[in-house]
Amino acid sequence: MSSTTPVAETRQDRFERGMEVLTRIDEEAGQKLTDALADVAPELGHQIAAWAFGEIYDRPGLAPRDRQLVTLGMLTAHGGCEHELDVHINISLNLGLTPKEIIEALLHSAVYCGIPKALNATLVAKKVFGERGLLPMTTQ
Amino acid sequence: MSSTTPVAETRQDRFERGMEVLTRIDEEAGQKLTDALADVAPELGHQIAAWAFGEIYDRPGLAPRDRQLVTLGMLTAHGGCEHELDVHINISLNLGLTPKEIIEALLHSAVYCGIPKALNATLVAKKVFGERGLLPMTTQ
Amino acid sequence: MSSTTPVAETRQDRFERGMEVLTRIDEEAGQKLTDALADVAPELGHQIAAWAFGEIYDRPGLAPRDRQLVTLGMLTAHGGCEHELDVHINISLNLGLTPKEIIEALLHSAVYCGIPKALNATLVAKKVFGERGLLPMTTQ
Amino acid sequence: MSSTTPVAETRQDRFERGMEVLTRIDEEAGQKLTDALADVAPELGHQIAAWAFGEIYDRPGLAPRDRQLVTLGMLTAHGGCEHELDVHINISLNLGLTPKEIIEALLHSAVYCGIPKALNATLVAKKVFGERGLLPMTTQ
Amino acid sequence: MSSTTPVAETRQDRFERGMEVLTRIDEEAGQKLTDALADVAPELGHQIAAWAFGEIYDRPGLAPRDRQLVTLGMLTAHGGCEHELDVHINISLNLGLTPKEIIEALLHSAVYCGIPKALNATLVAKKVFGERGLLPMTTQ
Amino acid sequence: MSSTTPVAETRQDRFERGMEVLTRIDEEAGQKLTDALADVAPELGHQIAAWAFGEIYDRPGLAPRDRQLVTLGMLTAHGGCEHELDVHINISLNLGLTPKEIIEALLHSAVYCGIPKALNATLVAKKVFGERGLLPMTTQ
């Protein structure tokens, strides 16, 4: 169901729609997130699902893989978002970005964010790639 | 003694005035801070007490509880300040912000700082609330 | 209507609910925003109204005035958000923060964001206060 | 000539290689940049051409269009980079990102950077699109 | 009078001590600053003079010229602080940093902050150097 | 060999030149870095050596010790760069900045970056100084 549908939805409908999107791109991320927030900030969990994924991520104007390139750029620029980078490097792999493209995007970030932030992000990629058996990368 | 007093003060007077303010809002934070900095940067410890708390924090124009709302916003926006967020979420509770208000402020921060920084800050709140036996939060 | 209502809403319902909230706190901001975005990014305008104001801002857990304190902290910390600070200093005045409280919050920000960002934000406040005939401030 | 060539190059060779890349993606940007820096920081102009474009941008591992998605994310996250956003929104259009994809990427940035930075970046896009006769965008 | 003096000082003493430091490094900056803030935030003006310059800047452990190198790094990293960069590039010249050293520091910043922020800061230096008749720089 | 030499160099020449610079200022940092990146992002390791150290760091216009002052300012301002601060506080000591100058630079950063980032950076300095047997610092 498109986010531009004129159909009326309840809060619960919107949450379920978002969780469906999130689960499609990462089988476990949605459940982990709502579990982590359940006893302290369930509304944040609701909004991440219902809004971030249900309303924005699922829009047709930009391919999911392309969204991940933008996201990798933003999280690298922020600094201090290693956990989110971990999640989003996994999602990027799930959505078809190759390890080589991800590493190249992070090298590219050195130009716009400087070496320290590019290096921090690359070490997160190293951790994720290691966990998924993708190391060593073949010679570039 | 007000910070606008015309009375002359020594460096030591100003330090003690600041420590008094800091200890009033968090019984242990001032001592922990000066201990941590004693062998490496005692002047930074002095300035945090004498200036940040003695000169600025104690001014009458904004209630301590309100200062904490501004501070939670700034630390969330910075990113990478998890330790200071921990200290200031504790101080916020000490000064009368309710857990619900704190969580709501961090949810609000998602609008202005984005989801990743709001999520990071919320997980610090979860840790602090857990340590103080405030979890689970009642249904929002 | 509360954001936690189980009632089903259409996109248009949600937009209207958000615009109502936004217009209540600043008579012109909502219309100006949707006008500015109409020919380039109407969906961003929609989401600012429907999500930021309709879903988050209007929640009961934190008073609107308190939300503005958090927001002033975040926008000051970001830097480079002078336009949004202008809008939000106006909203803060509309919602009952006094000029003195706003200036005190920005002075407080010097402790956590440093002098340059506190100064930049204060000069925006000076502009807004001047436009609203609030200068000179009475002696602090 | 690939950046991984074993062929020896002089500083001048490397500068020319980078200017060729830069001029290919934006006919005027390279010349404008070196002109602006000629009397104050010619080495910065050299490095932007020789390193950023000659060494990094031209690498084969990530398509130029994809690099622009990462770049739009980073510049939006930084804040205060309106001039560079202007240049890179133009380059993005030159390299085949559609106006709709750019606007969607900036809407997406609201999730990760917050509304104020997404809004600032979108207003730069509005300016660039206006200059290039791309407004109004067709209904999304 | 050293900041470590045991002598008691009033608020006014401390303000005057700071203004003396600030005026020594930039003949006009202190007066301009207090004038700009007089009708809106005189306490911020007081603290910039009394604390930033009277307490911190004047300490003997780091030469004023060296402080400016740190400051140029921080302001470039922040982004969105063009006005403060303008002031501090002027102060840097007053304190004996050569134009070449300043430009080299900003080139160096490209490595740690990325090209866009280095470029923004360099264009501020160009403006300041132009106003002081220092352009063109001799060949580097 | 100066970076302004007209002599042609291969990629390998440039890498070796950079590694020589890096090894000169920190005996182990270059090898550790290339080892850490070898299986995931060797090109980033190459560029850090060949560009950051071979092209920029080694330029004659600013003394290595002075470069470190700028770098400490930038890394403190970024936040979230504790690992790089660790490396660069070590390099700063290797290049002749005294512990006292480093601590003073970080105290100075409180004025421009705020207390939290100054505190975070100072705690990294404490760790490095401890590892190098430089604690306690003599009374300031």
Side-chain angles (χ1 to χ4, degrees):
Chain A
M1 183 166 68
S2 156
S3 66
T4 56
T5 178
V7 174
E9 295 180 293
T10 62
R11 240 177 90 80
Q12 183 61 17
D13 292 337
R14 296 175 56 232
F15 176 72
E16 284 169 13
R17 184 153 56 83
M19 281 298 277
E20 197 182 287
V21 175
L22 183 43
T23 303
R24 194 194 315 145
I25 64 178
D26 185 315
E27 212 176 327
E28 297 174 10
Q31 195 58 47
K32 273 192 198 168
L33 182 78
T34 45
D35 285 356
L37 295 174
D39 62 350
V40 64
E43 181 68 18
L44 181 58
H46 172 86
Q47 292 295 343
I48 294 175
W51 180 66
F53 289 92
E55 285 285 310
I56 307 295
Y57 201 97
D58 203 34
R59 286 171 53 82
L62 190 68
R65 166 204 180 273
D66 288 351
R67 291 183 185 273
Q68 291 308 117
L69 288 168
V70 184
T71 303
L72 293 179
M74 293 185 286
L75 292 176
T76 300
H78 283 334
C81 288
E82 281 71 20
H83 173 69
E84 284 83 2
L85 263 174
D86 184 311
V87 171
H88 278 282
I89 290 169
N90 272 298
I91 291 178
S92 298
L93 291 167
N94 297 346
L95 291 172
L97 283 176
T98 65
K100 192 174 175 182
E101 285 173 321
I102 291 168
I103 289 302
E104 195 67 33
L106 299 182
L107 175 64
H108 184 74
S109 79
V111 177
Y112 296 91
C113 302
I115 298 284
K117 290 182 176 177
L119 183 56
N120 284 350
T122 300
L123 294 176
V124 177
K126 178 176 174 166
K127 172 178 168 292
V128 173
F129 292 1
E131 290 164 358
R132 295 174 69 139
L134 298 170
L135 294 183
M137 302 272 291
T138 54
T139 309
Q140 295 175 38
Chain B
M1 184 165 67
S2 154
S3 66
T4 57
T5 177
V7 173
E9 294 179 293
T10 62
R11 240 177 89 80
Q12 183 61 19
D13 292 337
R14 296 174 56 234
F15 176 72
E16 284 168 14
R17 183 153 57 85
M19 281 298 277
E20 199 182 287
V21 176
L22 183 42
T23 304
R24 194 194 315 146
I25 63 178
D26 185 314
E27 210 176 329
E28 297 175 9
Q31 196 56 50
K32 272 192 197 166
L33 182 78
T34 45
D35 286 355
L37 295 174
D39 63 349
V40 65
E43 182 68 18
L44 181 58
H46 172 85
Q47 293 296 343
I48 293 175
W51 180 66
F53 289 92
E55 286 284 311
I56 307 296
Y57 200 97
D58 204 33
R59 287 171 53 83
L62 190 67
R65 167 209 181 269
D66 289 351
R67 290 183 186 272
Q68 291 308 119
L69 288 169
V70 184
T71 303
L72 293 179
M74 293 185 286
L75 292 176
T76 300
H78 282 336
C81 289
E82 280 73 18
H83 174 69
E84 285 82 2
L85 263 175
D86 184 313
V87 171
H88 278 282
I89 289 169
N90 272 297
I91 291 178
S92 298
L93 291 167
N94 297 346
L95 291 171
L97 284 175
T98 65
K100 191 173 175 183
E101 285 173 320
I102 291 168
I103 289 302
E104 194 68 33
L106 300 182
L107 175 65
H108 184 75
S109 79
V111 177
Y112 296 91
C113 302
I115 299 285
K117 290 181 176 177
L119 182 56
N120 285 350
T122 300
L123 294 176
V124 177
K126 178 176 174 166
K127 172 179 168 293
V128 172
F129 291 0
E131 290 164 358
R132 294 173 71 139
L134 299 170
L135 295 183
M137 302 271 291
T138 53
T139 309
Q140 296 174 35
Chain C
M1 184 165 66
S2 156
S3 66
T4 55
T5 177
V7 174
E9 295 180 294
T10 63
R11 243 177 88 80
Q12 184 61 19
D13 292 336
R14 296 175 56 232
F15 176 73
E16 284 169 13
R17 184 153 56 85
M19 281 298 277
E20 200 182 287
V21 176
L22 182 43
T23 303
R24 195 194 314 145
I25 64 178
D26 186 315
E27 210 176 330
E28 296 175 11
Q31 195 57 48
K32 272 191 196 166
L33 183 78
T34 45
D35 286 355
L37 294 174
D39 62 349
V40 66
E43 181 69 18
L44 180 59
H46 172 85
Q47 293 295 344
I48 294 175
W51 180 66
F53 289 91
E55 287 284 311
I56 308 295
Y57 200 96
D58 203 33
R59 286 171 54 82
L62 190 69
R65 167 208 180 271
D66 289 351
R67 291 182 184 274
Q68 290 310 118
L69 289 168
V70 185
T71 303
L72 293 179
M74 294 184 286
L75 293 175
T76 300
H78 282 336
C81 288
E82 282 72 18
H83 173 69
E84 284 84 1
L85 263 174
D86 185 313
V87 170
H88 278 282
I89 289 169
N90 271 297
I91 290 178
S92 298
L93 291 167
N94 296 346
L95 291 172
L97 284 175
T98 66
K100 192 174 175 183
E101 284 174 320
I102 292 168
I103 289 302
E104 195 66 34
L106 300 182
L107 175 64
H108 183 75
S109 80
V111 177
Y112 296 91
C113 302
I115 299 285
K117 290 181 175 177
L119 183 55
N120 284 352
T122 300
L123 295 177
V124 177
K126 178 176 175 167
K127 173 179 167 293
V128 172
F129 291 0
E131 290 164 359
R132 293 174 71 139
L134 299 170
L135 295 183
M137 302 272 291
T138 54
T139 308
Q140 296 176 34
Chain D
M1 183 167 67
S2 156
S3 66
T4 57
T5 178
V7 174
E9 295 179 293
T10 63
R11 243 177 88 81
Q12 183 61 19
D13 292 336
R14 295 174 56 232
F15 176 72
E16 284 170 13
R17 184 153 55 85
M19 282 296 278
E20 200 182 286
V21 175
L22 183 42
T23 304
R24 194 195 313 146
I25 64 178
D26 186 315
E27 212 176 329
E28 296 174 10
Q31 195 58 49
K32 273 192 195 167
L33 182 78
T34 46
D35 285 356
L37 294 175
D39 63 349
V40 66
E43 181 68 17
L44 181 58
H46 172 85
Q47 293 294 344
I48 294 175
W51 180 67
F53 288 92
E55 286 284 311
I56 307 296
Y57 200 97
D58 204 32
R59 287 171 53 82
L62 191 67
R65 166 208 180 270
D66 289 351
R67 290 183 186 273
Q68 291 309 119
L69 288 169
V70 184
T71 303
L72 293 179
M74 294 185 285
L75 293 175
T76 300
H78 283 335
C81 288
E82 281 72 20
H83 173 69
E84 285 82 2
L85 262 176
D86 184 312
V87 170
H88 278 281
I89 290 169
N90 271 297
I91 291 178
S92 298
L93 291 167
N94 297 346
L95 290 171
L97 283 176
T98 65
K100 192 174 174 182
E101 284 173 321
I102 291 168
I103 289 303
E104 195 67 34
L106 299 182
L107 175 64
H108 184 75
S109 78
V111 177
Y112 296 90
C113 302
I115 298 285
K117 290 181 176 178
L119 183 56
N120 284 351
T122 300
L123 294 176
V124 176
K126 178 176 175 168
K127 172 178 167 292
V128 172
F129 292 0
E131 289 165 359
R132 294 173 71 140
L134 299 171
L135 295 182
M137 303 271 292
T138 54
T139 309
Q140 295 175 38
Chain E
M1 184 167 65
S2 156
S3 66
T4 57
T5 179
V7 173
E9 296 179 294
T10 62
R11 240 175 91 80
Q12 183 62 18
D13 292 337
R14 296 174 55 233
F15 176 72
E16 284 169 14
R17 183 152 56 84
M19 281 297 277
E20 198 182 287
V21 176
L22 182 43
T23 304
R24 194 193 315 145
I25 64 178
D26 186 314
E27 212 176 328
E28 297 175 10
Q31 196 57 49
K32 272 191 195 167
L33 183 78
T34 44
D35 286 356
L37 295 174
D39 62 350
V40 66
E43 182 67 17
L44 180 58
H46 172 85
Q47 293 295 345
I48 294 175
W51 180 68
F53 289 92
E55 286 284 312
I56 307 295
Y57 200 98
D58 204 32
R59 286 171 52 83
L62 190 68
R65 166 209 180 270
D66 288 352
R67 290 182 186 274
Q68 291 309 118
L69 288 169
V70 184
T71 303
L72 293 179
M74 293 184 286
L75 293 176
T76 300
H78 282 336
C81 288
E82 282 71 21
H83 174 68
E84 285 82 2
L85 262 175
D86 185 312
V87 171
H88 278 281
I89 290 169
N90 272 298
I91 291 178
S92 298
L93 290 167
N94 297 347
L95 290 172
L97 283 176
T98 65
K100 192 175 175 182
E101 284 174 320
I102 292 167
I103 290 301
E104 194 69 33
L106 299 182
L107 175 64
H108 184 75
S109 79
V111 176
Y112 296 91
C113 302
I115 299 285
K117 290 182 176 176
L119 183 56
N120 284 351
T122 300
L123 293 177
V124 177
K126 178 176 175 167
K127 173 179 167 293
V128 173
F129 291 1
E131 290 165 359
R132 293 174 71 139
L134 298 170
L135 296 183
M137 303 271 291
T138 53
T139 309
Q140 296 176 37
Chain F
M1 184 166 66
S2 155
S3 67
T4 57
T5 178
V7 174
E9 294 180 294
T10 62
R11 242 177 89 79
Q12 183 62 18
D13 292 337
R14 295 175 56 232
F15 176 72
E16 284 169 13
R17 183 152 57 83
M19 281 297 277
E20 199 182 286
V21 176
L22 183 43
T23 304
R24 194 194 314 145
I25 64 177
D26 186 314
E27 211 175 329
E28 296 175 10
Q31 195 59 46
K32 272 191 197 167
L33 182 77
T34 46
D35 285 356
L37 294 174
D39 62 350
V40 65
E43 182 68 17
L44 181 57
H46 173 85
Q47 292 296 342
I48 294 176
W51 180 67
F53 288 92
E55 287 284 312
I56 307 296
Y57 200 97
D58 204 33
R59 286 172 52 84
L62 190 67
R65 167 206 180 271
D66 289 351
R67 290 183 186 273
Q68 291 308 119
L69 288 168
V70 184
T71 303
L72 294 179
M74 293 184 286
L75 292 176
T76 301
H78 283 335
C81 288
E82 282 71 20
H83 174 69
E84 285 82 3
L85 263 175
D86 184 312
V87 170
H88 278 282
I89 289 169
N90 272 297
I91 291 178
S92 297
L93 291 167
N94 297 346
L95 290 172
L97 284 175
T98 65
K100 192 174 175 182
E101 285 174 319
I102 291 168
I103 290 302
E104 194 67 34
L106 299 183
L107 175 64
H108 184 74
S109 79
V111 178
Y112 296 91
C113 302
I115 298 285
K117 289 181 175 178
L119 183 57
N120 284 350
T122 300
L123 294 176
V124 177
K126 178 175 175 166
K127 172 178 167 293
V128 173
F129 292 1
E131 290 164 358
R132 293 174 71 140
L134 298 170
L135 295 183
M137 302 271 293
T138 55
T139 309
Q140 294 176 38

